[in-house]
């Protein structure tokens, strides 16, 4: 008979900021690490400490005690301090695929600087896991993943169901959609099942009798895992003594102070693969009662999701690609500065931060961080773009403007730019005289043309005379006044990844303004949009001959849940706009297109009823709350702008809210045009198919899900970067997109008020709607390109030498249907990196002009250089230039 082995892993699950702000927890972290160092140095039998899989924990400690760096390196080299592989523990669904990869890359790089990383995929408390985790881990060289959520049994209840998303054992195989497979180890009794082990024999007997039985219930091998720690848990200083007591009480069990690599190797050695279940794809606690999925963290503090999505796209689709383009202008690729920007953003992507489920102080600091990282990222973009424009050979006619784009597909885009003319510098005239001098100049407008002379439609708005300044490289600030104009124009044939230079020619102001029509419909060659008196609208796709009506009503419901989960009020009072009569008018109509504005006013309760405060005080679990909505009502205003430009194949919807109401959720309701049993959603490097009807065990009335980029059901596709929560009806005939959720507490095992989660602020939400006949495999790639920002910059100087072309496409590749562009950057050795993921159901070809080698996500190459690659279904393919 083989002996049972109890692997005790000392750790502290370190939520960097959560129910306490960062600096309050950092103080505890420094104490923890000082005690860990002493134990690892001096305590016989205390052999290892697991740093929660995240390097930022060590970084935060060394920020206070930098002199400890060499000591930490020594502990890592000795195998005592177990670090990595992540930079931080992110939320899986609210961070992009590229952000997940950068997190692993930067975490491993930092761990290697200290000596070595713990080679295990560690997801102790991630709020659900995307289906491509096994493929990413395999590409990183890991074959084992440890996780705490997503599969039953979960948490403290030890429930088991027979299902694709449940496992009889804490060990299982987990397979990605592409077929990549890893060993999955579920923390079936949570990551605190070996916490605070008693040294008293009597107490230890009670403790271990229960704990050993709990683990044996699920273990498929004789290697048992006990996690000695919990959230912000101080290290157990008498652990060695506690383990000696356990050995005396249970001589048939080997109690080992262990670490994850040792435990993983022991499990694999004792595994009987035929006993294990294989779970597939994303793991979101699908086979549960639905009350603890934490899906509604996707709508808590929606403003955080908006800021994060914006900056991710700035980094992925502007800063990195434009920095690659700038190398052709002789500019060094800013590896260190991009790493600085990414890491700063990642501080906000930690799972208790980006999910919006922490204290108000935490999220106020996040907003300041978002501002900092946006400033950092824009500095990178502007510098690279400016260096490129300085070396583009332009003609002498007109004011050159270069537009950058990296969406992976050739595109037509409507672009905005603030253009300056007639600048007079302080060195030329006394600054007090300059505004008057500029005011004497005649009014002007602009005609815009491509470099080949084709006219570009433009709308010009004078912005008046403004102060500005240049920052020369070798001189002090050079101040001036100039006339400023806002130019809105349409650029066709933007390169898939590259830039196009166009020209603005000053012309006399023409009196061609026309009165706005009262025609309350939108139409171009692709779509026709008609608006009903109640503010709902229909869309007809002329090419596909598909029409969907009744779109765009709003529904407000009471929410007595918390930052983690939505719970509707017990009275089920729902207020919608189906019977409303909004004020509708044409807001804009010009040569580019048309915008119609609708203003709804609805009377809704000001908050939940007074009994809600008592339910929170008594810590009533959210499924059991019954409070009603207040009888006091107030006017809630919703402003909607529907925009259809002449080139658009999608309707753009912008919703403006000024929320001063508590305890509620606002959604936009979108009929899908047909009934379905399943729907599809964008996720991390995949398109996932989800069932509309939940399992029998599901008792939560809500069936909320998370998306990345888009969700499609029936005949509609809804695309947005920063509105990640949605729900599809059981029949598939209605899609509900969350615009706002206002709550007042964290809601995790205590009374933690978070009143700023009520979101008393102005919020602007934007999404796009287009129709499908379900035959277009290119929807993911098209949405991906649609949600890619452009960057336009006015040239300050021009080169007479033809160093760079006016227009250049860096996309020297041809992709088949189903391939979605993801990244264009440089590796650490300055070789170009190109990444796609495949969403089609069969293999596709990727053809390139230049030679590339296939790489991993860690940018390690393997195989011969070639220019054609077969990409299998659901594969994430990374190529590295040669």
């Amino acid at each position: 008979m083989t002996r049972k082995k109890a692997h005790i892993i000392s750790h502290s699950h370190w939520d960097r900021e959560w129910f306490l702000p960062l600096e309050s927890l950092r103080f505890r972290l420094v104490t923890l690490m000082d005690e860990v160092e002493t134990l690892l140095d001096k305590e016989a039998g205390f052999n290892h400490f697991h740093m929660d899989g995240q390097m930022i924990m060590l970084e935060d400690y060394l920020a206070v005690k930098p002199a400890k760096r060499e000591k930490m390196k020594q502990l890592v080299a000795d195998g005592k301090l177990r670090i990595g592989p992540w930079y931080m523990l992110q939320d899986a669904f609210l961070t992009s695929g590229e952000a997940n990869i950068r997190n692993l890359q930067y975490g491993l790089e930092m761990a290697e600087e200290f000596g070595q990383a713990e080679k295990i995929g560690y997801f102790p408390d991630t709020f659900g896991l995307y289906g491509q985790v096994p493929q990413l881990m395999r590409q990183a060289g890991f074959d084992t993943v440890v996780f705490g959520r997503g599969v039953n049994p979960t948490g403290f209840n030890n429930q088991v169901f027979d299902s694709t998303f449940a496992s009889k054992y804490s060990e299982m195989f987990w397979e990605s959609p592409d077929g990549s497979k890893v060993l999955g180890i579920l923390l079936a009794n949570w990551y605190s099942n070996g916490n605070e082990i008693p040294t008293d024999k009597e107490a230890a007997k009670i403790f271990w009798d229960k704990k050993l039985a709990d683990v044996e219930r699920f273990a498929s091998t004789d290697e048992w895992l006990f996690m000695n720690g919990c959230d912000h848990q101080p290290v157990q200083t008498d652990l060695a003594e506690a383990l000696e007591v356990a050995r005396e009480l249970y001589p048939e069990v080997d109690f080992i102070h262990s670490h994850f690599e040792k435990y993983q190797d022991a499990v694999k050695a004792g595994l009987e693969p035929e006993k294990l279940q294989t779970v597939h794809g994303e793991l979101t606690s699908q086979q549960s009662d639905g009350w603890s999925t934490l899906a509604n963290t996707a709508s808590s503090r929606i403003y955080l999701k908006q800021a994060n999505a914006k900056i991710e796209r700035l980094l992925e689709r502007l800063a990195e690609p434009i920095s690659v383009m700038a190398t052709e202008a002789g500019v060094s690729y800013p590896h260190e500065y991009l790493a600085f920007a990414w890491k700063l953003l990642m501080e906000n992507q930690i799972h208790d931060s980006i999910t919006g489920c922490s204290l108000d102080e935490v999220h106020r600091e996040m907003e300041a961080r978002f501002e900092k990282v946006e400033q950092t990222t824009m500095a990178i973009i502007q510098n690279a773009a400016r260096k490129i424009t300085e070396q583009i050979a332009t003609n002498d006619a007109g004011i050159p403007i270069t537009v950058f784009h990296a969406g992976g597909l050739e595109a037509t885009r409507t672009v905005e730019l603030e253009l300056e003319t007639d600048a007079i510098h302080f060195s030329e005239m006394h600054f007090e005289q300059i505004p008057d001098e500029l005011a004497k100049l005649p009014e002007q407008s602009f005609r815009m043309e491509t470099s080949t002379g084709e006219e570009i439609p433009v709308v010009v708005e004078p912005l008046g005379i403004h102060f500005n300044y240049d920052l020369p490289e070798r001189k002090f600030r050079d101040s001036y006044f100039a006339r400023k104009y806002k130019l809105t124009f349409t650029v066709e044939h933007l390169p898939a990844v590259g830039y196009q230079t166009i020209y603005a020619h000053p012309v006399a102001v023409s009196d061609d303004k026309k009165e706005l029509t009262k025609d309350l419909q939108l139409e171009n060659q692709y779509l026709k949009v008609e608006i009903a008196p109640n503010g709902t609208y229909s869309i007809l796709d002329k090419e596909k001959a598909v029409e969907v009506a009744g779109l765009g009503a709003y529904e407000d419901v009471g929410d007595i849940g918390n930052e983690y989960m939505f719970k509707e009020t017990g009275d089920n009072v729902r207020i919608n706009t189906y019977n409303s009569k909004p004020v509708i008018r044409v807001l804009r109509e010009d040569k580019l297109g048309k915008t119609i504005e609708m203003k709804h006013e609805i009377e809704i309760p000001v908050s939940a009823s007074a009994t809600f405060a008592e339910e929170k005080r008594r810590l009533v679990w959210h499924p059991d709350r019954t409070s009603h909505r207040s009888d006091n009502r107030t006017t809630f205003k919703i402003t909607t702008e529907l925009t259809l430009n002449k080139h658009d194949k999608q309707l753009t919807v912008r919703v403006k809210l000024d929320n001063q109401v508590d305890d509620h959720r606002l959604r936009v309701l979108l009929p899908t045009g047909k009934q379905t049993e399943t729907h599809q959603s964008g996720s991390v490097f995949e398109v996932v198919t989800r069932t509309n009807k939940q399992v029998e065990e599901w008792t939560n009335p809500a069936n909320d899900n998370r998306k990345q980029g888009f969700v499609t059901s029936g005949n509609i596709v809804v695309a947005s970067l920063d509105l990640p929560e949605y729900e599809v009806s059981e029949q598939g005939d209605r899609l509900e997109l969350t615009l706002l959720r206002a709550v007042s507490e964290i809601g995790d095992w205590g009374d933690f008020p978070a009143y700023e989660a009520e979101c008393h602020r102005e919020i602007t939400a934007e999404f796009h709607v287009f129709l499908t006949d379900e035959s277009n495999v290119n929807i993911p790639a098209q949405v991906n390109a649609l949600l890619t920002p452009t960057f336009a910059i006015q040239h300050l100087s021009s080169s007479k030498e033809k160093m760079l072309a006016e227009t250049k496409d860096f996309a020297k590749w041809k992709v088949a249907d189903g391939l979605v562009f993801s990244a264009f950057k440089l590796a650490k050795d300055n070789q170009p990196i190109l990444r796609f993921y495949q969403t089609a159901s069969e293999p596709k070809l990727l053809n390139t002009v230049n030679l590339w080698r296939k790489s991993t996500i860690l940018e390690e190459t393997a195989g011969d250089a070639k220019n054609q690659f077969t990409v299998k279904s659901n594969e994430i393919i990374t190529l590295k230039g040669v």
Side-chain angles (χ1 to χ4, degrees):
M1 179 177 176
T2 58
R3 288 174 62 81
K4 312 293 185 184
K5 297 184 181 66
H7 293 259
I8 291 85
I9 295 182
S10 292
H11 77 111
S12 185
H13 177 57
W14 206 261
D15 298 303
R16 190 174 188 247
E17 48 189 14
W18 178 31
F19 67 93
L20 286 172
L22 168 61
E23 296 310 328
S24 298
L25 289 172
R26 194 200 304 260
F27 189 87
R28 294 177 62 87
L29 172 64
V30 171
T31 302
L32 167 72
M33 292 306 300
D34 285 345
E35 289 185 341
V36 165
E37 177 192 345
T38 299
L39 288 170
L40 291 175
D41 270 347
K42 299 179 180 179
E43 182 71 19
F46 192 96
N47 305 315
H48 312 285
F49 188 82
H50 179 66
M51 291 288 285
D52 202 34
Q54 52 177 331
M55 294 306 302
I56 199 169
M57 188 177 173
L58 186 55
E59 195 172 68
D60 283 344
Y61 171 65
L62 294 175
V64 176
K65 295 198 170 185
K68 292 288 187 180
R69 177 174 291 271
E70 292 307 313
K71 179 61 181 179
M72 295 298 109
K73 285 185 175 180
Q74 184 59 53
L75 291 174
V76 172
D78 291 344
K80 295 181 176 181
L81 197 63
R82 313 298 297 188
I83 62 172
W86 301 103
Y87 179 67
M88 53 81 197
L89 295 181
Q90 79 280 25
D91 182 85
F93 286 100
L94 297 177
T95 53
S96 71
E98 290 300 323
N100 276 265
I101 287 178
R102 300 301 183 284
N103 186 15
L104 191 58
Q105 285 180 312
Y106 292 130
L108 287 171
E109 285 177 13
M110 186 177 174
E112 287 162 7
E113 290 172 5
F114 278 82
Q116 59 185 331
E118 186 99 71
K119 295 296 180 70
I120 193 163
Y122 192 60
F123 300 85
D125 196 20
T126 312
F127 299 169
L129 291 162
Y130 51 86
Q132 293 283 34
V133 165
Q135 183 177 178
L136 291 177
M137 293 298 98
R138 278 293 188 179
Q139 288 202 30
F142 301 175
D143 61 8
T144 305
V145 172
V146 174
F147 59 99
R149 295 185 187 271
V151 173
N152 291 327
T154 186
F156 307 101
N157 298 327
N158 297 334
Q159 296 174 318
V160 176
F161 303 102
D162 292 325
S163 154
T164 306
F165 308 110
S167 172
K168 180 179 180 181
Y169 299 109
S170 51
E171 299 82 33
M172 69 204 75
F173 294 113
W174 181 13
E175 189 172 298
S176 277
D178 75 310
S180 299
K181 187 180 287 190
V182 294
L183 172 64
I185 296 174
L186 174 68
L187 300 172
N189 298 284
W190 209 228
Y191 53 69
S192 57
N193 69 321
N195 193 29
E196 299 177 356
I197 303 173
T199 55
D200 175 78
K201 285 188 178 182
E202 185 176 339
K205 184 73 167 59
I206 296 171
F207 177 92
W208 283 114
D209 279 352
K210 176 175 177 15
K211 296 296 183 177
L212 291 170
D214 284 347
V215 172
E216 185 175 23
R217 180 181 179 190
F218 298 116
S220 67
T221 74
D222 293 328
E223 310 293 334
W224 296 350
L225 177 63
F226 297 91
M227 300 294 288
N228 176 233
C230 196
D231 297 356
H232 314 105
Q233 179 78 17
V235 64
Q236 183 170 346
T237 55
D238 59 358
L239 179 65
E241 180 185 353
L243 294 186
E244 283 300 325
V245 170
R247 292 176 186 119
E248 182 180 343
L249 289 171
Y250 302 88
E252 72 280 9
V253 178
D254 287 339
F255 289 87
I256 306 166
H257 196 217
S258 191
H259 57 78
F260 271 114
E261 288 189 10
K262 179 186 290 186
Y263 167 70
Q264 128 185 299
D265 291 345
V267 168
K268 287 190 286 189
L271 213 57
E272 297 179 54
E274 66 279 1
K275 291 171 56 176
L276 301 191
Q277 184 171 335
T278 298
V279 295
H280 298 269
E282 67 176 8
L283 306 178
T284 58
S285 300
Q286 299 101 316
Q287 194 80 29
S288 71
D289 63 10
W291 282 113
S292 298
T293 65
L294 311 187
N296 300 114
T297 55
S299 55
S300 292
R301 301 181 190 255
I302 199 71
Y303 58 91
L304 299 176
K305 282 66 171 176
Q306 293 179 314
N308 180 68
K310 176 184 178 181
I311 295 167
E312 280 182 336
R313 281 281 150 150
L314 289 178
L315 280 165
E316 296 168 16
R317 297 305 167 84
L318 290 176
E320 290 179 337
I322 296 177
S323 293
V324 178
M325 300 175 203
T327 60
E328 297 209 358
V331 181
S332 296
Y333 190 81
H335 290 285
E336 296 85 359
Y337 224 107
L338 282 166
F340 173 77
W342 270 113
K343 288 179 181 179
L344 189 56
L345 177 61
M346 287 180 200
E347 290 186 47
N348 279 356
Q349 294 185 331
I350 297 170
H351 65 282
D352 284 318
S353 300
I354 190 57
T355 51
C357 58
S358 300
L359 288 182
D360 293 336
E361 297 95 316
V362 167
H363 298 302
R364 285 199 295 270
E365 186 169 358
M366 284 180 64
E367 290 191 86
R369 270 191 222 120
F370 277 133
E371 289 183 7
K372 287 178 64 175
V373 71
E374 183 172 356
Q375 293 164 7
T376 302
T377 305
M378 289 308 302
I380 295 170
I381 293 167
Q382 290 164 351
N383 178 68
R386 182 71 64 205
K387 296 294 186 182
I388 291 170
T389 61
E390 288 173 358
Q391 296 197 32
I392 292 176
T394 57
N395 61 51
D396 293 326
I399 302 168
I401 298 165
T402 296
V403 182
F404 293 87
H405 174 258
L409 299 175
E410 184 180 275
T412 298
R413 291 288 179 267
T414 298
V415 179
E416 291 184 357
L417 171 73
E418 290 189 355
L419 184 77
E420 291 183 339
T421 66
D422 307 306
I424 300 178
H425 292 257
F426 287 13
S427 59
E428 301 173 77
M429 184 182 296
H430 193 280
F431 66 87
E432 292 181 350
Q433 300 174 345
I434 297 174
D436 292 337
E437 191 67 22
L438 289 172
K440 297 175 184 177
L441 297 176
E443 294 183 17
Q444 68 178 12
S445 187
F446 297 90
R447 185 186 80 256
M448 298 193 72
E449 294 180 348
T450 67
S451 59
T452 57
E454 299 171 28
E455 187 166 352
I456 296 173
V458 60
V459 174
V460 180
E461 178 186 349
L463 299 178
I465 297 166
H466 289 264
F467 166 80
N468 206 346
Y469 56 88
D470 293 324
L471 291 175
E473 289 187 5
R474 297 289 180 266
K475 295 181 180 180
F476 182 63
R477 182 179 67 237
D478 187 3
S479 300
Y480 62 88
F481 281 100
R483 294 203 287 181
K484 185 182 286 188
Y485 303 84
K486 178 183 175 183
L487 305 186
T488 307
F489 50 92
T490 299
V491 186
E492 297 183 16
H493 308 298
L494 277 171
V497 179
Y499 62 81
Q500 182 181 153
T501 301
I502 57 179
Y503 295 87
H505 301 271
V507 296
V509 174
S510 61
D511 189 19
D512 61 352
K513 291 184 178 179
K514 57 182 180 180
E515 293 293 325
L516 294 177
T517 70
K518 295 183 179 180
D519 179 17
L520 299 181
Q521 68 176 19
L522 305 166
E523 187 168 11
N524 63 15
Q525 61 181 314
Y526 305 111
L527 300 179
K528 182 177 181 179
V529 180
E530 295 184 309
I531 301 172
N534 67 357
T536 60
Y537 41 91
S538 65
I539 304 176
L540 169 65
D541 188 309
K542 299 178 181 179
E543 292 182 316
K544 298 184 176 69
V546 176
E547 184 173 16
V548 177
L551 299 159
Y554 297 100
E555 183 177 73
D556 190 85
V557 306
D559 188 346
I560 50 174
N562 51 51
E563 290 181 323
Y564 291 100
M565 291 294 291
F566 165 78
K567 171 63 167 69
E568 188 170 355
T569 48
D571 52 8
N572 300 116
V573 172
R574 296 190 170 208
I575 300 164
N576 61 54
T577 60
Y578 282 117
N579 296 318
S580 65
K581 292 184 178 180
V583 177
I584 307 175
R585 68 180 180 121
V586 177
L587 184 65
R588 159 198 153 244
E589 187 172 16
D590 51 44
K591 62 184 73 176
L592 301 181
K594 186 174 177 180
T595 299
I596 292 177
E597 177 190 77
M598 300 183 290
K599 291 191 173 183
H600 287 88
E601 292 188 0
I602 55 176
E603 298 298 312
I604 65 173
V606 297
S607 66
S609 65
T611 59
F612 183 38
E614 179 64 12
E615 286 186 312
K616 288 187 289 185
R617 189 188 69 79
R618 292 190 295 108
L619 306 183
V620 176
W621 194 39
H622 60 278
D624 300 326
R625 294 173 177 178
T626 59
S627 292
H628 291 195
R629 303 188 77 173
S630 170
D631 293 331
N632 297 325
R633 296 201 172 200
T634 189
T635 301
F636 189 75
K637 298 179 180 180
I638 306 169
T639 299
T640 307
E641 295 176 3
L642 304 180
T643 296
L644 185 66
N645 288 323
K646 292 192 175 179
H647 64 272
D648 289 345
K649 295 185 177 182
Q650 73 286 334
L651 176 68
T652 297
V653 185
R654 180 175 289 127
V655 185
K656 298 179 180 178
L657 311 168
D658 184 2
N659 181 53
Q660 302 301 323
V661 177
D662 292 347
D663 313 322
H664 71 128
R665 182 189 71 189
L666 183 73
R667 281 181 162 177
V668 59
L669 310 180
L670 303 162
T672 68
K674 64 189 302 186
Q675 293 190 356
T676 59
E677 293 184 355
T678 63
H679 67 275
Q680 290 189 312
S681 170
S683 189
V684 178
F685 293 123
E686 69 170 321
V687 176
V688 60
T689 298
R690 294 172 176 150
T691 58
N692 299 334
K693 186 175 181 179
Q694 282 294 357
V695 295
E696 290 182 7
E697 295 83 11
W698 195 275
T699 59
N700 187 347
N703 181 19
D704 302 323
N705 272 302
R706 291 160 285 197
K707 69 171 179 62
Q708 286 201 0
F710 76 97
V711 56
T712 178
S713 182
N715 292 125
I716 73 166
V717 180
V718 179
S720 67
L721 277 176
D722 51 13
L723 298 171
E725 181 185 286
Y726 73 92
E727 184 173 9
V728 173
S729 65
E730 206 170 272
Q731 296 75 29
D733 55 356
R734 189 167 85 169
L735 190 156
E736 302 180 6
L737 186 66
T738 305
L739 305 179
L740 168 72
R741 198 166 72 87
V743 294
S744 59
E745 63 168 356
I746 293 180
D748 190 317
W749 304 101
D751 184 9
F752 296 106
Y755 189 67
E756 289 173 21
E758 297 284 12
C759 297
H760 288 179
R761 59 174 66 208
E762 293 182 357
I763 290 176
T764 299
E766 183 175 283
F767 59 94
H768 310 274
V769 183
F770 57 97
L771 304 187
T772 176
D773 54 10
E774 297 185 341
S775 64
N776 192 350
V777 71
N778 284 321
I779 286 175
Q782 291 169 350
V783 169
N784 181 58
L786 173 66
L787 298 179
T788 292
T790 56
F791 180 73
I793 185 170
Q794 176 184 354
H795 293 216
L796 295 182
S797 61
S798 60
S799 172
K800 301 302 178 184
E801 300 177 11
K802 292 187 178 294
M803 300 179 68
L804 293 176
E806 290 174 296
T807 296
K808 182 161 186 178
D809 192 349
F810 289 76
K812 304 300 183 184
W813 54 80
K814 181 177 176 58
V815 296
D817 293 347
L819 282 170
V820 182
F821 171 76
S822 186
F824 183 52
K825 60 186 286 287
L826 291 191
K828 289 182 70 175
D829 60 5
N830 288 318
Q831 291 299 318
I833 292 293
L834 176 63
R835 185 157 35 248
F836 293 90
Y837 60 97
Q838 155 72 295
T839 62
S841 58
E842 64 280 338
K844 297 288 184 178
L845 288 179
L846 170 59
N847 294 291
T848 65
V849 174
N850 302 324
L851 294 176
W852 300 76
R853 284 192 175 92
K854 197 168 181 181
S855 171
T856 67
I857 59 169
L858 300 182
E859 300 167 7
E860 301 161 340
T861 56
D864 298 329
K866 54 185 180 178
N867 56 17
Q868 186 178 84
F869 299 85
T870 299
V871 189
K872 65 182 181 180
S873 180
N874 295 298
E875 181 181 358
I876 304 163
I877 183 168
T878 305
L879 303 180
K880 189 173 184 179
V882 296

